[in-house]
Structures are given as structure tokens and as C-alpha cells.
Amino acid sequence: MAGNDANAVALWHFDGADGATSGDGFADDSEGGSAHDLTAQADAQIDTAQSKFGGSALLLDGVNDRVTASDSSDYPEGANNWTLDVWVRLANLSQNAMLFCQRNDQDDDNNFWYWRVNSTGYMRFEAKTAGSTAVDYTTTDNQLSTGQWYHLCLVRKGGDLYFFVDGSLCSTNISDSLGPTESIGYHSHDLSLGGNVGSDGNIYSELDGWMDEARICDNVALDDSEDPLYISSGTYSDGFTPPTEAYSAPAGPTTYTQVRRGRRALRAAWDAVTRGRRTVATGRAAVARGRRQCLQLFTRVSRGRRAVYMHVAARAGGLTRVANAGLTGYLLYRGVDAQPDLDGAAWETFSTLPHTTAALDAAPAGTERTYYFVLRARNAHGLAGRDTRAWTVTVDDAGAVVATPPSAPSEAELAAWTAGAVRLTAEYLYAGDGDDQAGVWAIWITSDGSAPDPSGAPDATSTMLKRDGVAKLTWTSGEYADGTTLKVLVRTRRNDGTEASPTWVYSTNTAALTATAETDGPSAPQGDAFLHEERAQAQSS
């Protein structure tokens, strides 16, 4: 059936031994996110008396029972699109029944979100940011009752929420506006299924019944042709057929569409991995060779997935993952005092990691030299990913590293939005830049066809919201006339005003209302998590 691909950032099957309170039944089997294994609280346990798939389900008795996972940027937050879905069988509806939430009123009652079934049998979603309610909506049709399995689904797409019961859209709430840039507050609450912590520390909205096949996706599953919830007509009121079996990873070979953080990244033919994704490592560290420097590229293996470190001058950096089993090598481009020519030949090509580059030449006497690096992955078809991981290193006339500005944004994506506007999204792996990390996004935009000029003041700035090593940007422009070609440039900027090397200029047309075209090929390295410097150094030795 699939449904467990790069977009599934959390997936719990609850398949385990009867009465188990830990182990495989609580493991996260998702292909797209970090590991979010659940911890059983109170009497939460695996039960074989009821199940939708797999012969067992999570049993919660309605008295302090719930399961939790540590906070993560994989969960709904900011202005990201997402999909939540779960199978539920309620034994009692005398009290509210929490499905998913990040709510702990004892620690912080000003930033939270939750999705639950009220005691009336209708679904409710509420989100509060900095004490202000972003949305609070309760459905009024498709009422639930006890003693029956239901597939429940909640989708955020832009400024709209969509509630489904057994694939049927709740007609009284086709959409409830959040605003396209409305954020769900950033916080550090655990994810909780089955109940939430109240201001007095007690558990509330305890679900009394069973849950099975719970999933979080970081995209709109309804629009993803590879997902079982896909609505081919594009009209959500047409609904979808609820899943008939447990979610699984796509089998290869196949034509596999990878979407990351709600944005279509690429489409290319390759052999998909049946269980787990092949991952690539792209670390960088300055390595002395006499009085000159070279780059060391290296990797490690974690939880069966290969992870990557991004290093400059032995600073810790980000884990990187590529959802691609057809990977055959890497292309490393280098420019000297200028951006590298990505249409020309790569400076170095290699098929495995670790890899140590050739030495970097020192600058002429009395000067400094800046090297620009871009790393791309290449698949078995010889296609290279479009998105890049870019950084710079400046050396002096002795070959020593003297400057390492914050790295450029990654996963930048520009797409035509609604009402003549465009939306820019990007990520910045701030942990990899250590003490030199940026704190502000700087954005330039033009509407006359010319390239943005970063030498002048930016048209917009935004303070970074940082968590789990990643700062995420979601920025929506003002409205322009249909057919206007907009070009946007985004940089990371330190609080003292210094900036990273510019990323590429992105362009789209306001009449298109679709994402800009992508180059077919494997996805480029993308940061998701980070390790401390001393651990990374040990791995590279």
C-alpha cells in the first residue's frame, strides 16, 4: 500500500506482544523522519483483543494513560503543511479523547496544539501561539460513536484545515482559515497521543479505547499521488478510500516522488529501498597538509541509516539524508573567489565516503583567497540533484583557514502562491556554523526581470526561529499582477550584519500557481539533525 516514504516523519504500527509496555510495538517505523519511539505512561499497553491491522493495537484505559515522544521539528509547527491520520476505536465517550497533541499547560499554556475527539463525538483542533489563539474549530457532522473503528485524518494546507472521517470530508468545515503564514507556536513539549498534561500536572482528555496505525506526514498527503490518501480529482469533497492495510515503504524499482517539508523536491526513476532509505554523508573538515588545507569528507552509520556531517575547520555540522537507492557517487564543485560553474565539470568526483580532497592552495602573499564549494549527489542515470549544499572557506597566504561565514540556505524553494503572491521556503543548518552562525534571514525580490542586488538593503528580513539544529523560513510576498516574473534571493545574516555567500536566485511567474520546474535527479544533501563536535571528530579519525 505504501504510505511510508520520505514524507512520513512518524509512523507507529503498534504491532507487538499482548500487554507489552515497551519494545517493537512502540517503535517509530517512518522512512522520512528521525526516530520517534514512544514511551508508555501509566497503563498504556499493546493489546491483541482489538486491532485494525497487524493483530494488535495500542490500548488506553482512559485513566492517565498516554504515550509520548520527545519534541521534534518533524511535528506540526510554524506555517508548514502537514497530515495527521490514525485509526481509533472508542470504548467510552464520557470524556474528551486526545488523538495527537503537544500540550503541557503546567510548563507553558501559551504555546500548544491539539487534535481530539470531544465527548460529543465531534473532532476539535486548537492551536495557540504566544498566548493568542491561531485557530479553534470543532466539527459538527460525521459524529463518532463507541465500539467502531474509524479512520480520522486532519490536513493543514496553507491557511486551511480539512477534517475527514473514514475518508469523508466534514462538510461543515471544508476549510477554516489559519492564514497562509499563521504559525503554530514553537515550544519544547513532548508529543503525546491519548492525553495531555494540565496546569495542575494531571492528565486530561484521556482516550478510552484503542489506537492503531498512527502517522504524521510533513506534506499534504491528499495531493501526493504516491500516498494512499491521494484524491486524484483535486476536489477534497470527493474524499478518499480509507487505507485497507498497514502503511509500508514503496517497493522498487519504481518512479518515486520525493517531497520534503511539504515541497516537491524532484521526480526521477530509480530503485526505491523497501525498508529504510539509502543515505549519504557529506562532511567537511579542514585537514592540514603541511601549511595547506584540504577537505575531509566522511560518514557514519546510525540506526541503519547513513548520516552526514558538515564540517568547516573541525566544527560540528548536520546530518544529511538522501531518499534515493540509486545513488552512485558525488560531484564536488569548487570556485576560487567566485561561485563554481555548476554547468561545467566537477572539481572532484568520487563514489564512496570517506573522501579527502586535494589540498587547497594558499593565497598569494599578503592576500586571502575564498573557495566556494557545492556538493551534489548523482544517481545511476548520471543525473545530479538540483538543490545543493554550499559553503565557503577563506585561507590566507600560509594556507590557514581564516574565515568561515555562515553557510548558505539549503532546500530553498520558490513557488507561486495565491492572489499574485509567491512563497519562499528555506532551511539553514545553524548548528554546523558553531559560534559563527547566522540569526537573521535577508531577502531581496525584483519584479522587473532583473536579478536582485544584494549590495543594497534587503527588501525583507526575518529573525530566525531555531530548533533542533535547523532554522526554517516561510515567507510570503505581497501581491503582484498576474504574469509578473518575480526573482528572489535569500541569504543568511549574522546579527552583526555579516552575511553568507549568496544562494542562487529563484524565479517564478505569478500566473503559474505551481512550483518552479526541478531538474530530475537524486535529491541533494539536506540537514536534519546534528551531533557534537567531539563525536564527529572521533568518527572521522
Side-chain angles (χ1 to χ4, degrees):
M1 160 155 286
N4 184 14
D5 58 15
N7 307 306
V9 294
L11 174 62
W12 301 282
H13 300 296
F14 301 118
D15 293 340
D18 190 38
T21 58
S22 62
D24 291 345
F26 298 87
D28 175 13
D29 189 44
S30 66
E31 297 297 311
S34 305
H36 306 299
D37 294 349
L38 295 170
T39 299
Q41 309 289 346
D43 295 323
Q45 61 186 274
I46 301 299
D47 182 38
T48 57
Q50 287 287 342
S51 74
K52 187 61 185 180
F53 308 118
S56 62
L58 174 66
L59 172 62
L60 305 170
D61 65 11
V63 183
N64 296 323
D65 286 6
R66 62 188 183 119
V67 290
T68 60
S70 298
D71 176 43
S72 170
S73 58
D74 284 336
Y75 308 146
E77 66 176 14
N80 297 329
N81 293 330
W82 39 260
T83 301
L84 307 175
D85 71 300
V86 63
W87 285 92
V88 174
R89 182 184 177 98
L90 299 171
N92 186 357
L93 263 176
S94 62
Q95 59 193 23
N96 298 327
M98 186 64 68
L99 301 173
F100 294 79
C101 75
Q102 283 187 276
R103 181 174 186 177
N104 186 329
D105 292 348
Q106 187 177 40
D107 291 341
D108 177 10
D109 61 0
N110 289 315
N111 296 280
F112 63 78
W113 65 268
Y114 66 82
W115 177 37
R116 75 187 187 196
V117 178
N118 285 347
S119 59
T120 57
Y122 297 107
M123 290 185 289
R124 179 182 180 183
F125 180 82
E126 181 183 5
K128 184 178 286 189
T129 301
S132 177
T133 299
V135 63
D136 186 357
Y137 191 89
T138 301
T139 62
T140 57
D141 62 349
N142 288 326
Q143 185 179 27
L144 277 62
S145 59
T146 59
Q148 177 180 340
W149 280 104
Y150 293 97
H151 180 259
L152 306 182
C153 179
L154 175 60
V155 174
R156 177 182 182 169
K157 181 179 181 180
D160 297 325
L161 292 174
Y162 300 88
F163 297 78
F164 293 84
V165 176
D166 287 339
S168 176
L169 180 66
C170 294
S171 59
T172 55
N173 185 37
I174 293 177
S175 66
D176 182 46
S177 180
L178 278 163
T181 61
E182 190 82 50
S183 289
I184 292 177
Y186 290 83
H187 47 71
S188 58
H189 302 325
D190 287 348
L191 178 74
S192 178
L193 284 67
N196 69 276
V197 180
S199 58
D200 58 3
N202 293 322
I203 307 303
Y204 291 89
S205 297
E206 301 111 303
L207 188 149
D208 186 357
W210 294 265
M211 304 178 75
D212 205 355
E213 206 66 13
R215 183 178 69 152
I216 302 175
C217 294
D218 64 0
N219 74 325
V220 179
L222 311 177
D223 297 339
D224 181 2
S225 61
E226 306 294 330
D227 196 276
L229 307 188
Y230 176 57
I231 299 177
S232 59
S233 67
T235 303
Y236 293 170
S237 59
D238 291 344
F240 57 83
T241 301
T244 57
E245 59 187 65
Y247 292 128
S248 60
T254 186
T255 298
Y256 177 65
T257 301
Q258 187 232 356
V259 181
R260 187 64 186 167
R261 303 291 177 207
R263 303 186 298 277
R264 188 174 298 276
L266 56 93
R267 188 180 182 91
W270 60 61
D271 291 341
V273 179
T274 300
R275 298 292 293 176
R277 296 180 295 165
R278 183 184 295 270
T279 55
V280 290
T282 60
R284 56 184 170 123
V287 180
R289 280 189 175 175
R291 299 184 64 190
R292 297 195 293 172
Q293 302 285 326
C294 62
L295 295 180
Q296 173 74 40
L297 305 181
F298 52 90
T299 185
R300 75 174 182 90
V301 176
S302 175
R303 295 182 62 86
R305 297 176 180 175
R306 188 170 295 238
V308 203
Y309 302 85
M310 302 299 296
H311 277 246
V312 171
R315 291 182 308 176
L319 295 175
T320 302
R321 191 158 51 238
V322 170
N324 175 8
L327 183 80
T328 60
Y330 312 92
L331 304 174
L332 182 64
Y333 296 85
R334 186 191 73 168
V336 181
D337 292 326
Q339 294 272 1
D341 179 11
L342 298 179
D343 294 324
W347 177 52
E348 292 187 354
T349 61
F350 41 95
S351 59
T352 61
L353 295 170
H355 172 78
T356 300
T357 70
L360 306 181
D361 293 332
T367 67
E368 295 179 349
R369 172 175 289 165
T370 298
Y371 292 93
Y372 292 76
F373 295 97
V374 171
L375 185 76
R376 286 183 165 182
R378 180 175 59 185
N379 70 8
H381 304 284
L383 301 175
R386 180 193 67 86
D387 290 320
T388 59
R389 176 63 175 157
W391 69 94
T392 63
V393 175
T394 300
V395 299
D396 61 16
D397 55 5
V401 173
V402 295
T404 52
S407 55
S410 62
E411 293 299 306
E413 195 78 35
L414 182 70
W417 202 238
T418 58
V422 293
R423 168 169 283 190
L424 173 70
T425 53
E427 295 181 358
Y428 166 57
L429 313 180
Y430 65 85
D433 289 335
D435 295 335
D436 297 322
Q437 63 188 245
V440 176
W441 298 100
I443 302 165
W444 291 260
I445 183 169
T446 63
S447 59
D448 59 1
S450 63
D453 180 10
S455 63
D459 296 296
T461 59
S462 177
T463 301
M464 292 180 178
L465 297 174
K466 298 179 178 180
R467 199 171 84 183
D468 293 343
V470 182
K472 301 174 184 178
L473 170 68
T474 301
W475 175 80
T476 304
S477 73
E479 296 182 11
Y480 293 83
D482 285 347
T484 302
T485 296
L486 303 177
K487 294 186 177 181
V488 175
L489 184 147
V490 57
R491 282 181 168 181
T492 56
R493 168 181 283 181
R494 294 198 185 106
N495 292 329
D496 62 8
T498 58
E499 296 163 354
S501 57
T503 186
W504 319 124
V505 173
Y506 297 90
S507 175
T508 192
N509 189 291
T510 56
L513 296 182
T514 58
T516 53
E518 310 292 352
T519 299
D520 287 341
S523 59
Q526 169 185 324
D528 284 316
F530 300 86
L531 295 182
H532 293 297
E533 176 180 346
E534 56 268 25
R535 183 173 179 184
Q537 289 174 329
Q539 292 290 341
S540 63
S541 61

